[in-house]
Amino acid sequence: GQQLNQSPQSMFIQEGEDVSMNCTSSSIFNTWLWYKQDPGEGPVLLIALYKAGELTSNGRLTAQFGITRKDSFLNISASIPSDVGIYFCAGQLIGTASKLTFGTGTRLQVTL
Amino acid sequence: GAGVSQSPSNKVTEKGKDVELRCDPISGHTALYWYRQSLGQGLEFLIYFQGNSAPDKSGLPSDRFSAERTGGSVSTLTIQRTQQEDSAVYLCASSDQRGNYGYTFGSGTRLTVV
């Protein structure tokens, strides 16, 4: 199936640092979404992007839909301990209105 | 309900047994999705329901897997003759399907086949 390459796979950062992660694909996506998953829970939507070039913020989170429609990034500013978790990108491929393709996730750990 | 509810939250079963996993979507959400998440992996699409119909079941890994939805609400994912490779977290999500891809996920059922 289609793959979303998400990087980095994991990162350790100190509280207060900024974080950046991204997803790339060889395919064109209509929609990009970023989710966060805490242990034992389902993913929770953070940001949704619907247009190429779109830059959207949600508090300390900022995400962009790449111009080529093949990539997206997520930035977290001034990280705090509760940012710990696994972040997934997800995209909706052209012609596949029924489902999302998910990246393999970025595990974020924040140290004090 | 207020959120997507899945039951059981954990299930341990012997290889070869059948299991049923249940999903109660958010009231009024017409679209329902099942995904599978293996340890340390991303989410793998299984099946999509619009109402009681399943227009896309392309992700079901084998004919041992089936799902149904009744009354446009509750869905059941059934795995027959379970194998060890079926061990994973099975996540259900629903959406209002008005061009909104922001699914709401349940907490999942962790299935362990021993």
Side-chain angles (χ1 to χ4, degrees), chain A residues 30-31 33 35 37 40-45 48 50 86 88 92 96-105 107, chain B residues 33 35 37 40-45 48 55-56 58-59 91 97 99-108 110:
Chain A
N30 276 338
T31 302
L33 303 144
Y35 286 84
Q37 186 176 30
E41 301 293 327
V44 173
L45 181 66
Y50 298 103
I86 303 176
F88 290 100
Q92 181 247 329
T96 61
S98 60
K99 63 192 177 193
L100 296 177
T101 300
F102 281 80
T104 50
R107 182 181 296 273
Chain B
Y33 312 82
Y35 281 78
Q37 185 175 28
Q41 300 297 311
L43 280 70
E44 174 191 7
F45 170 81
Y48 152 65
D56 190 347
S58 62
L91 289 160
Q97 197 61 9
N100 175 8
Y101 293 99
Y103 302 167
T104 301
F105 280 91
S107 297
R110 180 176 297 278

Short mmCIF file of all heavy atoms in Angstrom, two decimals, chain A residues 30-31 33 35 37 40-45 48 50 86 88 92 96-105 107, chain B residues 33 35 37 40-45 48 55-56 58-59 91 97 99-108 110:
data_model
loop_
_atom_site.label_atom_id
_atom_site.label_comp_id
_atom_site.label_asym_id
_atom_site.label_seq_id
_atom_site.Cartn_x
_atom_site.Cartn_y
_atom_site.Cartn_z
N ASN A 30 -4.65 14.96 -0.88
CA ASN A 30 -5.64 16.04 -0.84
C ASN A 30 -5.70 16.70 0.52
O ASN A 30 -6.07 17.87 0.64
CB ASN A 30 -7.03 15.49 -1.15
CG ASN A 30 -7.27 15.41 -2.63
OD1 ASN A 30 -6.62 16.09 -3.42
ND2 ASN A 30 -8.20 14.56 -3.02
N THR A 31 -5.42 15.92 1.55
CA THR A 31 -5.57 16.37 2.93
C THR A 31 -4.41 15.82 3.74
O THR A 31 -4.00 14.68 3.53
CB THR A 31 -6.89 15.82 3.53
OG1 THR A 31 -7.99 16.27 2.74
CG2 THR A 31 -7.08 16.29 4.96
N LEU A 33 -3.22 15.46 7.88
CA LEU A 33 -3.67 15.58 9.26
C LEU A 33 -2.54 15.17 10.18
O LEU A 33 -1.69 14.33 9.81
CB LEU A 33 -4.88 14.66 9.51
CG LEU A 33 -6.08 14.91 8.59
CD1 LEU A 33 -6.76 13.62 8.26
CD2 LEU A 33 -7.06 15.84 9.25
N TYR A 35 -1.93 13.77 14.16
CA TYR A 35 -2.56 13.20 15.34
C TYR A 35 -1.50 12.98 16.42
O TYR A 35 -0.32 12.77 16.13
CB TYR A 35 -3.18 11.83 15.03
CG TYR A 35 -4.46 11.87 14.24
CD1 TYR A 35 -4.44 11.95 12.85
CD2 TYR A 35 -5.70 11.79 14.88
CE1 TYR A 35 -5.62 11.96 12.11
CE2 TYR A 35 -6.88 11.81 14.15
CZ TYR A 35 -6.83 11.89 12.77
OH TYR A 35 -8.00 11.90 12.06
N GLN A 37 -0.96 10.42 19.88
CA GLN A 37 -1.47 9.25 20.59
C GLN A 37 -0.75 9.09 21.91
O GLN A 37 0.48 9.00 21.96
CB GLN A 37 -1.30 7.98 19.74
CG GLN A 37 -1.93 6.74 20.36
CD GLN A 37 -1.84 5.54 19.45
OE1 GLN A 37 -0.91 5.40 18.67
NE2 GLN A 37 -2.80 4.64 19.55
N GLY A 40 -2.18 3.73 25.51
CA GLY A 40 -3.47 3.15 25.85
C GLY A 40 -4.67 3.90 25.31
O GLY A 40 -5.81 3.56 25.64
N GLU A 41 -4.42 4.89 24.48
CA GLU A 41 -5.51 5.68 23.93
C GLU A 41 -5.46 5.66 22.41
O GLU A 41 -4.45 5.30 21.80
CB GLU A 41 -5.43 7.14 24.40
CG GLU A 41 -5.49 7.31 25.91
CD GLU A 41 -6.84 6.91 26.47
OE1 GLU A 41 -7.85 7.11 25.76
OE2 GLU A 41 -6.89 6.40 27.60
N GLY A 42 -6.57 6.08 21.79
CA GLY A 42 -6.56 6.24 20.35
C GLY A 42 -5.96 7.59 19.98
O GLY A 42 -5.83 8.48 20.82
N PRO A 43 -5.56 7.76 18.73
CA PRO A 43 -5.00 9.04 18.29
C PRO A 43 -6.03 10.16 18.39
O PRO A 43 -7.22 9.95 18.17
CB PRO A 43 -4.63 8.77 16.83
CG PRO A 43 -4.53 7.28 16.70
CD PRO A 43 -5.52 6.74 17.67
N VAL A 44 -5.54 11.34 18.70
CA VAL A 44 -6.39 12.52 18.80
C VAL A 44 -5.94 13.54 17.76
O VAL A 44 -4.74 13.82 17.64
CB VAL A 44 -6.31 13.14 20.22
CG1 VAL A 44 -7.06 14.46 20.27
CG2 VAL A 44 -6.86 12.17 21.25
N LEU A 45 -6.88 14.10 17.02
CA LEU A 45 -6.55 15.04 15.96
C LEU A 45 -5.99 16.33 16.54
O LEU A 45 -6.57 16.93 17.46
CB LEU A 45 -7.79 15.35 15.12
CG LEU A 45 -7.58 16.32 13.96
CD1 LEU A 45 -6.67 15.69 12.91
CD2 LEU A 45 -8.92 16.71 13.34
N ALA A 48 -5.63 19.83 11.03
CA ALA A 48 -6.04 19.35 9.71
C ALA A 48 -5.69 20.42 8.67
O ALA A 48 -5.90 21.61 8.90
CB ALA A 48 -7.53 19.06 9.68
N TYR A 50 -6.01 21.36 4.44
CA TYR A 50 -6.83 20.98 3.29
C TYR A 50 -6.36 21.59 1.97
O TYR A 50 -6.88 21.21 0.92
CB TYR A 50 -8.29 21.37 3.54
CG TYR A 50 -8.91 20.67 4.73
CD1 TYR A 50 -9.09 21.32 5.94
CD2 TYR A 50 -9.29 19.33 4.65
CE1 TYR A 50 -9.64 20.68 7.03
CE2 TYR A 50 -9.85 18.67 5.74
CZ TYR A 50 -10.02 19.35 6.92
OH TYR A 50 -10.56 18.70 8.00
N ILE A 86 3.21 9.83 20.91
CA ILE A 86 3.55 9.48 19.53
C ILE A 86 2.73 10.35 18.60
O ILE A 86 1.50 10.43 18.73
CB ILE A 86 3.28 7.99 19.24
CG1 ILE A 86 4.06 7.11 20.22
CG2 ILE A 86 3.70 7.66 17.80
CD1 ILE A 86 3.79 5.63 20.05
N PHE A 88 1.50 11.16 14.77
CA PHE A 88 1.31 10.53 13.47
C PHE A 88 0.86 11.57 12.45
O PHE A 88 -0.02 12.38 12.73
CB PHE A 88 0.22 9.46 13.53
CG PHE A 88 0.60 8.23 14.29
CD1 PHE A 88 0.18 8.05 15.60
CD2 PHE A 88 1.37 7.23 13.71
CE1 PHE A 88 0.52 6.91 16.32
CE2 PHE A 88 1.72 6.09 14.41
CZ PHE A 88 1.29 5.93 15.72
N GLN A 92 -4.97 11.88 3.05
CA GLN A 92 -6.00 11.31 2.22
C GLN A 92 -5.55 11.43 0.77
O GLN A 92 -5.39 12.53 0.25
CB GLN A 92 -7.34 12.03 2.42
CG GLN A 92 -8.49 11.46 1.61
CD GLN A 92 -8.99 12.43 0.55
OE1 GLN A 92 -8.93 13.63 0.72
NE2 GLN A 92 -9.46 11.90 -0.56
N THR A 96 -9.29 8.44 -2.90
CA THR A 96 -9.55 7.49 -1.80
C THR A 96 -10.25 8.23 -0.68
O THR A 96 -9.71 8.41 0.40
CB THR A 96 -8.26 6.85 -1.27
OG1 THR A 96 -7.41 7.87 -0.76
CG2 THR A 96 -7.55 6.09 -2.36
N ALA A 97 -11.46 8.65 -0.95
CA ALA A 97 -12.16 9.48 0.02
C ALA A 97 -12.49 8.75 1.31
O ALA A 97 -12.83 9.36 2.30
CB ALA A 97 -13.45 10.00 -0.60
N SER A 98 -12.38 7.43 1.29
CA SER A 98 -12.87 6.67 2.42
C SER A 98 -11.84 6.41 3.50
O SER A 98 -12.19 5.96 4.58
CB SER A 98 -13.39 5.32 1.94
OG SER A 98 -12.35 4.59 1.31
N LYS A 99 -10.60 6.66 3.26
CA LYS A 99 -9.64 6.24 4.26
C LYS A 99 -8.43 7.15 4.29
O LYS A 99 -8.15 7.89 3.36
CB LYS A 99 -9.18 4.81 3.97
CG LYS A 99 -8.44 4.64 2.65
CD LYS A 99 -8.27 3.18 2.30
CE LYS A 99 -7.60 3.01 0.95
NZ LYS A 99 -7.70 1.64 0.45
N LEU A 100 -7.73 7.09 5.40
CA LEU A 100 -6.49 7.82 5.58
C LEU A 100 -5.32 6.85 5.58
O LEU A 100 -5.44 5.73 6.06
CB LEU A 100 -6.51 8.59 6.91
CG LEU A 100 -7.54 9.70 7.05
CD1 LEU A 100 -7.47 10.29 8.45
CD2 LEU A 100 -7.33 10.78 6.00
N THR A 101 -4.21 7.32 5.06
CA THR A 101 -2.95 6.58 5.14
C THR A 101 -2.13 7.23 6.24
O THR A 101 -1.97 8.46 6.25
CB THR A 101 -2.20 6.67 3.80
OG1 THR A 101 -3.00 6.09 2.77
CG2 THR A 101 -0.87 5.92 3.89
N PHE A 102 -1.62 6.42 7.17
CA PHE A 102 -0.90 6.94 8.33
C PHE A 102 0.60 6.72 8.18
O PHE A 102 1.05 5.70 7.63
CB PHE A 102 -1.38 6.26 9.61
CG PHE A 102 -2.67 6.81 10.14
CD1 PHE A 102 -3.88 6.42 9.59
CD2 PHE A 102 -2.67 7.73 11.17
CE1 PHE A 102 -5.07 6.93 10.06
CE2 PHE A 102 -3.87 8.25 11.66
CZ PHE A 102 -5.07 7.85 11.10
N GLY A 103 1.38 7.66 8.71
CA GLY A 103 2.81 7.46 8.86
C GLY A 103 3.09 6.53 10.02
O GLY A 103 2.19 6.14 10.76
N THR A 104 4.37 6.18 10.18
CA THR A 104 4.75 5.21 11.21
C THR A 104 4.97 5.86 12.57
O THR A 104 5.22 5.17 13.55
CB THR A 104 6.02 4.45 10.81
OG1 THR A 104 7.01 5.40 10.41
CG2 THR A 104 5.73 3.50 9.65
N GLY A 105 4.88 7.17 12.64
CA GLY A 105 4.89 7.84 13.93
C GLY A 105 6.25 8.38 14.35
O GLY A 105 7.29 7.86 13.96
N ARG A 107 8.02 9.24 17.99
CA ARG A 107 7.89 9.15 19.45
C ARG A 107 8.67 10.29 20.08
O ARG A 107 9.89 10.40 19.90
CB ARG A 107 8.41 7.80 19.95
CG ARG A 107 8.27 7.61 21.46
CD ARG A 107 8.82 6.26 21.88
NE ARG A 107 8.05 5.18 21.30
CZ ARG A 107 6.95 4.65 21.83
NH1 ARG A 107 6.50 5.13 22.98
NH2 ARG A 107 6.33 3.66 21.24
N TYR B 33 -14.87 3.57 10.76
CA TYR B 33 -13.65 2.99 10.22
C TYR B 33 -13.04 2.05 11.25
O TYR B 33 -13.08 2.31 12.44
CB TYR B 33 -12.62 4.08 9.92
CG TYR B 33 -13.15 5.27 9.14
CD1 TYR B 33 -13.82 6.29 9.80
CD2 TYR B 33 -12.96 5.37 7.77
CE1 TYR B 33 -14.32 7.38 9.09
CE2 TYR B 33 -13.44 6.47 7.06
CZ TYR B 33 -14.12 7.47 7.73
OH TYR B 33 -14.60 8.55 7.03
N TYR B 35 -9.25 0.34 12.02
CA TYR B 35 -7.82 0.32 11.74
C TYR B 35 -7.16 -0.67 12.67
O TYR B 35 -7.68 -0.99 13.74
CB TYR B 35 -7.20 1.71 11.97
CG TYR B 35 -7.43 2.70 10.85
CD1 TYR B 35 -8.65 3.35 10.71
CD2 TYR B 35 -6.42 2.97 9.93
CE1 TYR B 35 -8.86 4.26 9.68
CE2 TYR B 35 -6.63 3.89 8.90
CZ TYR B 35 -7.85 4.52 8.78
OH TYR B 35 -8.05 5.41 7.76
N GLN B 37 -3.36 -1.49 14.57
CA GLN B 37 -2.06 -0.92 14.92
C GLN B 37 -1.22 -2.00 15.58
O GLN B 37 -1.49 -2.42 16.70
CB GLN B 37 -2.23 0.27 15.86
CG GLN B 37 -0.92 0.99 16.18
CD GLN B 37 -1.14 2.24 17.02
OE1 GLN B 37 -2.12 2.33 17.79
NE2 GLN B 37 -0.26 3.21 16.89
N GLY B 40 4.44 -0.71 17.76
CA GLY B 40 5.43 0.21 17.21
C GLY B 40 5.19 0.64 15.78
O GLY B 40 6.07 1.23 15.16
N GLN B 41 4.02 0.34 15.27
CA GLN B 41 3.73 0.67 13.88
C GLN B 41 2.65 1.74 13.78
O GLN B 41 1.98 2.09 14.75
CB GLN B 41 3.25 -0.59 13.13
CG GLN B 41 4.26 -1.71 13.11
CD GLN B 41 5.53 -1.32 12.38
OE1 GLN B 41 5.49 -0.79 11.27
NE2 GLN B 41 6.67 -1.57 13.00
N GLY B 42 2.48 2.23 12.55
CA GLY B 42 1.39 3.15 12.28
C GLY B 42 0.08 2.40 12.16
O GLY B 42 -0.01 1.20 12.44
N LEU B 43 -0.93 3.11 11.75
CA LEU B 43 -2.25 2.52 11.66
C LEU B 43 -2.51 1.99 10.25
O LEU B 43 -2.25 2.68 9.26
CB LEU B 43 -3.31 3.58 12.00
CG LEU B 43 -3.54 3.85 13.48
CD1 LEU B 43 -2.37 4.57 14.11
CD2 LEU B 43 -4.83 4.62 13.68
N GLU B 44 -3.04 0.79 10.21
CA GLU B 44 -3.31 0.11 8.95
C GLU B 44 -4.83 0.06 8.74
O GLU B 44 -5.56 -0.49 9.58
CB GLU B 44 -2.73 -1.31 9.02
CG GLU B 44 -3.06 -2.21 7.86
CD GLU B 44 -2.67 -3.65 8.15
OE1 GLU B 44 -2.28 -3.95 9.29
OE2 GLU B 44 -2.77 -4.48 7.23
N PHE B 45 -5.31 0.61 7.64
CA PHE B 45 -6.74 0.64 7.34
C PHE B 45 -7.27 -0.76 7.12
O PHE B 45 -6.64 -1.59 6.44
CB PHE B 45 -6.97 1.48 6.08
CG PHE B 45 -8.37 1.40 5.52
CD1 PHE B 45 -9.39 2.15 6.08
CD2 PHE B 45 -8.65 0.57 4.44
CE1 PHE B 45 -10.68 2.08 5.56
CE2 PHE B 45 -9.93 0.50 3.92
CZ PHE B 45 -10.95 1.26 4.47
N TYR B 48 -14.15 0.46 5.91
CA TYR B 48 -14.89 1.71 6.07
C TYR B 48 -16.37 1.44 5.86
O TYR B 48 -16.74 0.74 4.90
CB TYR B 48 -14.37 2.72 5.05
CG TYR B 48 -15.33 3.79 4.59
CD1 TYR B 48 -15.81 4.75 5.48
CD2 TYR B 48 -15.71 3.88 3.25
CE1 TYR B 48 -16.67 5.75 5.04
CE2 TYR B 48 -16.56 4.88 2.81
CZ TYR B 48 -17.03 5.81 3.71
OH TYR B 48 -17.88 6.80 3.27
N PRO B 55 -18.42 0.31 1.59
CA PRO B 55 -17.94 0.53 0.23
C PRO B 55 -16.45 0.25 0.06
O PRO B 55 -15.99 0.13 -1.08
CB PRO B 55 -18.26 2.01 -0.02
CG PRO B 55 -18.44 2.62 1.31
CD PRO B 55 -18.88 1.55 2.23
N ASP B 56 -15.73 0.19 1.13
CA ASP B 56 -14.30 -0.08 1.02
C ASP B 56 -13.89 -1.04 2.14
O ASP B 56 -13.84 -0.65 3.30
CB ASP B 56 -13.50 1.23 1.12
CG ASP B 56 -12.02 1.04 0.78
OD1 ASP B 56 -11.55 -0.12 0.71
OD2 ASP B 56 -11.32 2.05 0.62
N SER B 58 -11.10 -2.97 1.49
CA SER B 58 -9.87 -3.40 0.83
C SER B 58 -8.75 -3.72 1.81
O SER B 58 -7.79 -4.41 1.44
CB SER B 58 -9.40 -2.33 -0.15
OG SER B 58 -9.12 -1.12 0.54
N GLY B 59 -8.85 -3.24 3.05
CA GLY B 59 -7.77 -3.46 4.00
C GLY B 59 -7.90 -4.74 4.81
O GLY B 59 -6.97 -5.09 5.55
N LEU B 91 -8.39 -0.39 16.36
CA LEU B 91 -8.96 0.93 16.63
C LEU B 91 -10.16 1.19 15.74
O LEU B 91 -10.13 0.89 14.54
CB LEU B 91 -7.91 2.02 16.39
CG LEU B 91 -6.76 2.08 17.40
CD1 LEU B 91 -5.58 2.82 16.82
CD2 LEU B 91 -7.22 2.76 18.68
N GLN B 97 -18.45 12.73 8.21
CA GLN B 97 -18.34 12.53 6.76
C GLN B 97 -18.82 13.73 5.95
O GLN B 97 -19.17 13.61 4.80
CB GLN B 97 -19.14 11.27 6.34
CG GLN B 97 -18.80 10.70 4.98
CD GLN B 97 -17.38 10.24 4.86
OE1 GLN B 97 -16.63 10.17 5.82
NE2 GLN B 97 -16.95 9.92 3.65
N GLY B 99 -17.08 16.01 4.52
CA GLY B 99 -15.78 16.53 4.11
C GLY B 99 -14.84 16.70 5.29
O GLY B 99 -13.84 17.39 5.19
N ASN B 100 -15.16 16.06 6.37
CA ASN B 100 -14.34 16.23 7.58
C ASN B 100 -13.58 14.94 7.84
O ASN B 100 -14.16 13.93 8.17
CB ASN B 100 -15.24 16.55 8.78
CG ASN B 100 -14.47 16.61 10.08
OD1 ASN B 100 -13.25 16.56 10.10
ND2 ASN B 100 -15.18 16.70 11.17
N TYR B 101 -12.25 14.99 7.66
CA TYR B 101 -11.46 13.79 7.85
C TYR B 101 -10.90 13.70 9.25
O TYR B 101 -10.06 12.86 9.53
CB TYR B 101 -10.35 13.74 6.80
CG TYR B 101 -10.93 13.56 5.42
CD1 TYR B 101 -11.09 14.64 4.58
CD2 TYR B 101 -11.35 12.31 5.01
CE1 TYR B 101 -11.65 14.47 3.32
CE2 TYR B 101 -11.91 12.14 3.75
CZ TYR B 101 -12.06 13.22 2.92
OH TYR B 101 -12.62 13.05 1.68
N GLY B 102 -11.36 14.57 10.13
CA GLY B 102 -10.89 14.51 11.50
C GLY B 102 -11.63 13.45 12.28
O GLY B 102 -12.52 13.72 13.06
N TYR B 103 -11.26 12.20 12.04
CA TYR B 103 -11.88 11.09 12.76
C TYR B 103 -11.77 11.30 14.26
O TYR B 103 -10.79 11.84 14.76
CB TYR B 103 -11.13 9.78 12.52
CG TYR B 103 -10.96 9.25 11.14
CD1 TYR B 103 -10.06 8.21 10.95
CD2 TYR B 103 -11.64 9.73 10.05
CE1 TYR B 103 -9.86 7.66 9.70
CE2 TYR B 103 -11.44 9.20 8.79
CZ TYR B 103 -10.54 8.16 8.62
OH TYR B 103 -10.32 7.63 7.38
N THR B 104 -12.73 10.75 15.00
CA THR B 104 -12.60 10.57 16.44
C THR B 104 -12.38 9.09 16.68
O THR B 104 -13.21 8.26 16.29
CB THR B 104 -13.86 11.04 17.18
OG1 THR B 104 -14.08 12.42 16.89
CG2 THR B 104 -13.69 10.85 18.68
N PHE B 105 -11.26 8.76 17.30
CA PHE B 105 -10.91 7.37 17.56
C PHE B 105 -11.39 6.93 18.93
O PHE B 105 -11.47 7.72 19.88
CB PHE B 105 -9.39 7.18 17.52
CG PHE B 105 -8.81 7.08 16.14
CD1 PHE B 105 -8.38 8.20 15.47
CD2 PHE B 105 -8.70 5.84 15.52
CE1 PHE B 105 -7.85 8.11 14.19
CE2 PHE B 105 -8.16 5.73 14.25
CZ PHE B 105 -7.74 6.87 13.58
N GLY B 106 -11.69 5.63 19.04
CA GLY B 106 -11.86 5.02 20.34
C GLY B 106 -10.50 4.68 20.93
O GLY B 106 -9.46 4.92 20.31
N SER B 107 -10.52 4.11 22.12
CA SER B 107 -9.26 3.75 22.80
C SER B 107 -8.69 2.43 22.33
O SER B 107 -7.58 2.07 22.70
CB SER B 107 -9.46 3.71 24.31
OG SER B 107 -9.81 5.00 24.78
N GLY B 108 -9.48 1.70 21.54
CA GLY B 108 -8.96 0.48 20.96
C GLY B 108 -9.21 -0.77 21.79
O GLY B 108 -9.51 -0.71 22.98
N ARG B 110 -7.05 -4.14 22.63
CA ARG B 110 -5.75 -4.81 22.50
C ARG B 110 -5.99 -6.31 22.45
O ARG B 110 -6.44 -6.90 23.43
CB ARG B 110 -4.83 -4.46 23.66
CG ARG B 110 -3.46 -5.13 23.57
CD ARG B 110 -2.53 -4.66 24.69
NE ARG B 110 -2.25 -3.24 24.60
CZ ARG B 110 -1.35 -2.69 23.82
NH1 ARG B 110 -0.60 -3.46 23.04
NH2 ARG B 110 -1.15 -1.39 23.81
#
